[in-house]
Amino acid sequence: MRRLARVRTLKWHRTIMYCTGAVLIGIISVIFAHLGDWAAELRYHIVTRNPWSMLVIAPLGLVAISWLTRLLFNGAQGSGIPQTIATLHMHNFVLVDRILTLRIALGKILMTCLGLICGASIGREGPSSLSGWGTL
């Protein structure tokens, strides 16, 4: 009887954890989408005021992004999709925790927004893209 109760409790804990994680990911995706739209709009205003400013902002900004990524967010390079797929097949959870961290996720969000301001050809893909959604 105790074992059955323990198993049910563990199932509920897992269910609550997965549902909470899904809601948090959804909230973070919406925040990321709005930050990306804000960054693109900021770039538009910069270019509208002085079109030649991007000749300075783009190269300096991309160098700064590269430097910050290597210094503060090492491991945030690329999309992260191959790393995530690879961790699904790993059994060493210590290694998984080193590959998928909140610091790397935060770095990806911040560096993407900074890249959008600098005019980099990057952006949100998939479900976090708001094209066609209208305003939230």
Side-chain angles (χ1 to χ4, degrees), residues 45-54:
H45 288 299
I46 292 170
V47 170
T48 302
R49 284 190 98 180
N50 185 358
W52 296 98
S53 63
M54 290 310 287

Side-chain angles (χ1 to χ4, degrees), residues 35-110:
L35 283 173
D37 290 341
W38 172 81
E41 191 170 319
L42 179 61
R43 182 190 66 245
Y44 173 77
H45 288 299
I46 292 170
V47 170
T48 302
R49 284 190 98 180
N50 185 358
W52 296 98
S53 63
M54 290 310 287
L55 290 174
V56 174
I57 292 172
L60 291 179
L62 295 176
V63 167
I65 291 168
S66 178
W67 180 72
L68 286 170
T69 301
R70 292 171 194 239
L71 180 70
L72 301 175
F73 304 111
N74 196 16
Q77 299 88 343
S79 70
I81 294 170
Q83 294 88 337
T84 304
I85 292 171
T87 59
L88 292 174
H89 302 290
M90 291 181 179
H91 299 291
N92 183 353
F93 295 111
V94 174
L95 185 59
V96 170
D97 289 343
R98 286 179 51 204
I99 294 172
L100 302 176
T101 66
L102 289 175
R103 180 182 53 80
I104 290 174
L106 179 65
K108 286 182 178 296
I109 292 170
L110 293 176

Side-chain angles (χ1 to χ4, degrees), residues 1 20 49 54 58 85-86 90 92 113 121 124 135-136:
M1 195 67 134
T20 303
R49 284 190 98 180
M54 290 310 287
I85 292 171
M90 291 181 179
N92 183 353
C113 291
S121 59
R124 303 177 321 273
T135 21
L136 291 176

